[in-house]
């Protein structure tokens, strides 16, 4: 880093730790666990002269050393510190990652719960390699442990069924049935069901591998400026345990592996990006933002959680509520040119880590971010509540907002969000820009 002295934040990190910064092991039985995996520098990045700016400082913490330049052209390094449940450096292989992430989830579903393991990060940061690698991905290792448990005397009345589908441009497609279009529905108990999805009985890890390879070949991929083989959809691989001892099979537990499409900026797509690529990127970012809003609503204990804002959050509903556990693996790129994306991913993961683990075996404490650039306004504090006077003033302003209703129904008074909601309902496309979409805000 050229001998520059890091400029660190004055606000200390609030992560767990003992005296003198000694870290305590994380609880593998937490309701929601957040882990970070750093990939090594690629040969292309080394040839370009990129430096490694991500430095793990322990088994649960890391620091990002971001080179910056002041207005007077003075160079300095800004250090941002994070603490999570687990931090895996570039030398950790998939076996080590599996032991601390997905392995506890496999054991959990035999108790009758739902478990989800999902990877989040910038495109090209190693999500698909971690989750869906055909040789040593987390799903393969999970299948080996799952069938070992099924062979035990107390579990021989159960069988495993697999489904594999993707969410592409807000639509669901069955990867095991010629990309047949699917629909997400809710039953009487408000459990999300995927209507028409094909379930395949598997009796060995080899069966799962063959099923996965068939479905993976049908997945939507594309080339962007950041990744020559970028996933353009969210892929969901689910393994359901069903009790076959009765007259009808009854689901006992479910394990989901989700490879989220990479979050990206417009500049990451390159100058040659066509309209389809831009639409894909916009839909990916919208669904990931909706996921964050659901997590925020749960964090603030709001009565309503907006799981219907996107197909992704609708499918992930049972991963965050009820008898469930989830493990998020945030994958990051360590090179200098991706520093903004890396910090965005880490801050997103830090937001998830701050969720309250109501009803979990071990309560998790919110972590903090040490950074001069990070602005702590207090809005993300779990104790934050809206000001009633401010809310009433906003409602009065909205009441005076007039907009033309669809199909000539005349002017209607209401908020701007109501206007755009009606446009969506009647599938109207106006010439004016959607101010909320332009701002990158999900509304619904």
């Amino acid at each position: 880093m050229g001998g520059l002295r890091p400029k660190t934040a004055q606000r200390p990190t609030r992560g767990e730790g003992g005296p003198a910064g000694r870290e305590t092991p994380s609880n593998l039985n937490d309701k929601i666990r957040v882990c970070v995996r750093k990939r090594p520098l690629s040969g292309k990045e080394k040839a370009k002269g990129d430096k490694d700016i991500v430095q793990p400082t322990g088994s649960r913490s890391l620091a990002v050393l971001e080179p910056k330049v002041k207005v007077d052209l003075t160079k300095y390094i800004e250090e941002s510190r994070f603490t999570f449940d687990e931090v895996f450096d570039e030398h950790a292989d998939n076996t080590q990652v599996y032991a601390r992430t997905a392995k506890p989830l496999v054991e959990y579903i035999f108790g009758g719960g739902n478990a989800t393991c999902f990877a989040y990060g910038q495109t090209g940061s190693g999500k698909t390699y971690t989750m869906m690698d055909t040789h040593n991905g987390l799903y393969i290792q999970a299948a080996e442990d799952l069938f070992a448990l099924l062979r035990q005397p107390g579990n021989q009345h159960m069988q495993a069924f697999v489904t594999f589908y993707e969410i592409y441009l807000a639509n669901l497609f069955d990867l095991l049935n010629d990309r047949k279009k699917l629909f997400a529905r809710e039953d009487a108990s408000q459990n999300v069901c995927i209507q028409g999805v094909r379930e395949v009985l598997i009796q060995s890890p080899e069966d799962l591998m063959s099923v996965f390879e068939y479905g993976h070949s049908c997945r939507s991929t594309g080339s962007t400026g950041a990744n020559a083989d970028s996933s353009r959809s969210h892929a969901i691989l689910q393994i359901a345990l069903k009790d076959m001892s009765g007259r009808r099979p009854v689901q006992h537990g479910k394990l989901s592996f989700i490879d989220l499409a990479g979050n990206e900026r417009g500049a990451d797509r390159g100058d040659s990006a066509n309209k389809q690529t831009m639409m894909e990127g916009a839909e990916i970012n919208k669904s990931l933002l909706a996921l964050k809003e659901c997590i925020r609503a749960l964090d603030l204990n709001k009565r309503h959680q907006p799981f219907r804002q996107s197909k992704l959050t609708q499918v992930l509903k049972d991963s965050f509520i009820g008898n469930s556990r989830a493990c998020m693996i945030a994958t990051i790129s360590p090179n200098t040119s991706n520093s903004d994306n890396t910090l965005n991913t880490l801050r997103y993961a830090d937001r998830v880590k701050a969720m309250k683990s109501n009803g979990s075996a071990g309560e998790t404490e919110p972590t903090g971010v040490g950074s001069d650039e990070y602005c702590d306004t207090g809005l993300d504090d779990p104790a934050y509540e809206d000001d009633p006077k401010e809310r009433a003033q906003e409602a009065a302003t909205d009441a005076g907002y007039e907009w033309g209703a669809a199909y000539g129904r005349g002017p209607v008074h209401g908020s701007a969000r109501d206007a755009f909601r009606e446009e969506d309902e009647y599938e109207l496309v106006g010439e004016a820009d959607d101010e909320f979409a332009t701002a990158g805000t999900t509304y619904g």
Side-chain angles (χ1 to χ4, degrees):
M1 293 294 178
L4 298 178
R5 183 178 180 181
K7 179 183 178 183
T8 58
Q10 301 298 321
R11 185 166 57 92
T13 301
R14 294 176 292 163
E16 300 175 7
R22 185 174 67 243
E23 295 178 337
T24 58
S26 60
N27 187 353
L28 295 179
N29 295 320
D30 281 344
K31 183 178 178 67
I32 296 178
R33 302 186 72 246
V34 181
C35 309
V36 174
R37 186 179 192 183
K38 168 192 172 184
R39 69 162 174 82
L41 286 172
S42 66
K44 182 179 179 180
E45 291 165 348
K46 292 179 181 178
K48 194 170 60 173
D50 272 349
K51 303 296 183 181
D52 187 342
I53 63 171
V54 179
Q55 303 298 327
T57 56
S59 62
R60 299 185 55 190
S61 58
L62 58 82
V64 180
L65 307 177
E66 184 183 12
K68 287 197 170 186
V69 180
K70 294 182 179 180
V71 178
D72 60 359
L73 302 183
T74 302
K75 294 181 180 180
Y76 70 99
I77 295 176
E78 184 175 77
E79 180 181 4
S80 303
R81 299 185 300 273
F82 299 85
T83 301
F84 299 101
D85 291 308
E86 304 285 343
V87 171
F88 302 99
D89 61 18
E90 64 271 29
H91 304 295
D93 57 19
N94 276 358
T95 303
Q96 294 171 288
V97 174
Y98 170 75
R100 302 291 297 177
T101 56
K103 185 178 178 65
L105 302 181
V106 176
E107 301 167 353
Y108 177 73
I109 65 172
F110 279 86
N114 295 326
T116 303
C117 183
F118 62 98
Y120 172 85
Q122 175 196 5
T123 180
S125 59
K127 299 182 304 299
T128 302
Y129 172 78
T130 300
M131 302 293 294
M132 306 292 186
D133 180 56
T134 55
H135 300 291
N136 198 30
L138 298 192
Y139 82 98
I140 293 180
Q141 300 182 62
E144 294 173 350
D145 285 345
L146 184 141
F147 284 105
L149 291 172
L150 281 177
R151 287 191 291 267
Q152 295 182 1
N155 298 325
Q156 292 182 356
H157 62 287
M158 292 187 290
Q159 290 184 340
F161 295 81
V162 64
T163 58
F164 193 20
Y165 56 94
E166 71 172 359
I167 303 175
Y168 177 70
L169 289 178
N171 294 311
L172 277 65
F173 298 97
D174 194 342
L175 297 179
L176 301 180
N177 193 11
D178 298 326
R179 291 182 58 81
K180 175 185 175 182
K181 190 173 182 180
L182 304 172
F183 299 93
R185 308 293 189 207
E186 288 187 359
D187 59 15
S189 302
Q190 295 187 338
N191 297 318
V192 178
C193 305
I194 308 301
Q195 181 182 358
V197 67
R198 181 185 179 186
E199 285 189 329
V200 178
L201 173 66
I202 54 174
Q203 297 178 327
S204 67
E206 290 73 24
D207 288 348
L208 179 60
M209 289 179 62
S210 61
V211 169
F212 170 78
E213 289 176 0
Y214 173 80
H216 190 65
S217 63
C218 302
R219 188 180 177 189
S220 301
T221 59
S223 177
T224 66
N227 189 2
D229 188 22
S230 174
S231 301
R232 311 306 293 165
S233 66
H234 307 300
I236 297 99
L237 177 72
Q238 294 181 325
I239 304 174
L241 292 180
K242 294 191 176 183
D243 187 344
M244 310 299 290
S245 59
R247 297 180 59 184
R248 298 181 60 182
V250 178
Q251 181 167 302
H252 180 75
K254 182 174 65 175
L255 176 61
S256 302
F257 290 95
I258 302 177
D259 177 21
L260 296 175
N263 62 310
E264 59 184 32
R265 301 173 301 176
D268 297 331
R269 301 172 196 138
D271 297 332
S272 59
N274 54 25
K275 180 179 179 181
Q276 184 72 11
T277 302
M278 291 187 288
M279 289 177 59
E280 292 169 350
E283 189 60 42
I284 290 169
N285 290 340
K286 177 183 175 182
S287 61
L288 293 175
L289 179 60
L291 177 60
K292 185 177 182 180
E293 290 299 318
C294 287
I295 292 170
R296 176 177 171 81
L298 288 169
D299 183 24
L300 297 178
N301 276 336
K302 290 188 177 181
R303 181 176 300 177
H304 171 68
Q305 287 85 30
F307 285 107
R308 294 183 182 178
Q309 284 190 345
S310 73
K311 285 293 186 294
L312 174 64
T313 51
Q314 189 176 5
V315 168
L316 287 179
K317 178 180 178 181
D318 59 359
S319 301
F320 294 103
I321 61 177
N323 186 19
S324 63
R325 286 184 187 174
C327 180
M328 171 182 174
I329 304 175
T331 57
I332 56 175
S333 302
N335 54 317
T336 311
S337 55
N338 283 323
S339 59
D340 289 340
N341 281 316
T342 295
L343 286 170
N344 287 338
T345 298
L346 292 172
R347 287 167 182 157
Y348 189 105
D350 188 74
R351 177 71 263 170
V352 178
K353 185 67 183 72
M355 285 187 61
K356 295 174 182 149
S357 301
N358 294 324
S360 66
E363 299 291 320
T364 58
E365 297 293 334
T367 63
V369 182
S371 173
D372 288 339
E373 183 186 16
Y374 185 77
C375 178
D376 184 8
T377 61
L379 297 179
D380 288 339
D381 193 297
Y384 172 79
E385 295 181 357
D386 290 339
D387 185 356
K389 294 182 179 179
E390 182 180 353
R391 178 62 64 187
Q393 183 179 0
E394 291 178 357
T397 303
D398 284 345
Y401 190 93
E402 182 176 299
W403 46 274
Y407 294 108
R409 287 163 49 202
V412 177
H413 293 275
S415 67
R417 293 174 183 264
D418 293 333
F420 294 122
R421 187 179 296 115
E422 170 150 310
E423 289 182 3
D424 291 341
E425 180 179 353
Y426 290 94
E427 298 182 353
L428 299 179
V429 179
E431 296 181 359
D433 291 335
D434 184 334
E435 61 183 285
F436 295 103
T438 304
T441 302
T442 303
Y443 56 89

